[in-house]
C-alpha cells in the first residue's frame, strides 16, 4: 500500500493499529484499521489488516468477507499492477479461515489456488498436507509434505509429519 498522499495522522493510525495488533489488542486494532479504510476506501489492501484482526477474533466469515474485498480490488487492477504474491496470501487467508471452521474441502481449494500462484511457499504446501491427512487422504498428504520439504529442506516440521 502506497504511503504517499497520506496525511501524517493517517500514517500514525496505521502504525497505532500495527502496534495494537502486536500487543494482541485485536478489536482495538481492527477499529483503527476500519477507520483508515473508511477514510481511504480506494486503498483496499488495508483490508488485509482488518481480515487479520477478524481472524484473531475468530470472526471467520467476516474475515473471509474482507479477504474477498481485497480479491475484488486485485481483480480490478490493470494486468501490469496485479500482485500475485498478495493474491496468494489472500487465498491462503481464506483457506485458513475455512480450515478453522472445519470446512476442509473449501480450505483445500483455497490453499491449492494459493500454491498454484506461489509455489515457493512451504507453509502453504504443509497446510494442504495437513488438510489431506485430516481428510484421510494420506497419499495426497505425502505429496504435499514432500513438496514442502523440496521448497524448504531445512524446515523440520514437514519431515516430522512425513
Amino acid at each position: 500500500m502506497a504511503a504517499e498522499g497520506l496525511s501524517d495522522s493517517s500514517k500514525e493510525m496505521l502504525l497505532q493499529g500495527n502496534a495494537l495488533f502486536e500487543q494482541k489488542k485485536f478489536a482495538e486494532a481492527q477499529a483503527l484499521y476500519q477507520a483508515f479504510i473508511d477514510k481511504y476506501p480506494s486503498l483496499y489492501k488495508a483490508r488485509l489488516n482488518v481480515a487479520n484482526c477478524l481472524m484473531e477474533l475468530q470472526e471467520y466469515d467476516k474475515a473471509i468477507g474482507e479477504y474477498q474485498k481485497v480479491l475484488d480490488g486485485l481483480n480490478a487492477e490493470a494486468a501490469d499492477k496485479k500482485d500475485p504474491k498478495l493474491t496468494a496470501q489472500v487465498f491462503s487467508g481464506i483457506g485458513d479461515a475455512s480450515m478453522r471452521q472445519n470446512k476442509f474441502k473449501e480450505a483445500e481449494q483455497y490453499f491449492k489456488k494459493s500454491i498454484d500462484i506461489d509455489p515457493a511457499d512451504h507453509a502453504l504446501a504443509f497446510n494442504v498436507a495437513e488438510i489431506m491427512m485430516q481428510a484421510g487422504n494420506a497419499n495426497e498428504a505425502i505429496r504435499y509434505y514432500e513438496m514442502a520439504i523440496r521448497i524448504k529442506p531445512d524446515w523440520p516440521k514437514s519431515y516430522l509429519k512425513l
Side-chain angles (χ1 to χ4, degrees):
M1 175 173 47
E4 59 269 357
L6 295 181
S7 68
D8 287 343
S9 64
S10 295
K11 291 177 190 175
E12 183 60 30
M13 189 183 301
L14 286 176
L15 291 173
Q16 286 176 351
N18 293 344
L20 289 167
F21 189 89
E22 290 297 316
Q23 296 168 21
K24 300 189 183 315
K25 296 179 179 177
F26 304 117
E28 294 93 332
Q30 191 253 336
L32 276 176
Y33 293 141
Q34 188 61 55
F36 178 86
I37 290 168
D38 292 345
K39 190 171 183 177
Y40 299 99
S42 65
L43 298 178
Y44 65 89
K45 293 177 185 177
R47 291 186 176 282
L48 275 179
N49 296 332
V50 173
N52 292 336
C53 289
L54 291 168
M55 288 290 290
E56 295 298 333
L57 294 168
Q58 299 179 357
E59 295 184 36
Y60 304 122
D61 289 332
K62 288 182 182 178
I64 289 171
E66 291 299 317
Y67 286 128
Q68 188 59 54
K69 289 175 185 174
V70 175
L71 277 179
D72 294 344
L74 286 166
N75 289 334
E77 292 280 344
D80 63 333
K81 302 266 185 190
K82 292 201 185 287
D83 185 346
K85 288 262 189 203
L86 183 58
T87 302
Q89 181 182 356
V90 170
F91 282 140
S92 178
I94 295 172
D96 187 21
S98 299
M99 191 166 70
R100 292 183 192 198
Q101 295 178 85
N102 296 320
K103 297 177 181 176
F104 299 115
K105 271 291 190 211
E106 278 182 45
E108 176 187 346
Q109 291 170 348
Y110 282 102
F111 281 133
K112 281 184 174 182
K113 285 181 184 182
S114 187
I115 288 172
D116 288 344
I117 295 168
D118 187 9
D121 188 335
H122 70 284
L124 290 175
F126 181 85
N127 285 337
V128 172
E130 291 288 279
I131 291 168
M132 295 298 177
M133 283 301 289
Q134 288 178 354
N137 191 343
N139 289 334
E140 195 72 5
I142 288 169
R143 188 169 80 85
Y144 283 99
Y145 285 130
E146 288 173 342
M147 179 188 292
I149 289 168
R150 281 191 306 277
I151 295 167
K152 189 164 184 172
D154 61 340
W155 196 48
K157 204 169 183 179
S158 297
Y159 292 99
L160 175 65
K161 291 291 189 158
L162 186 59

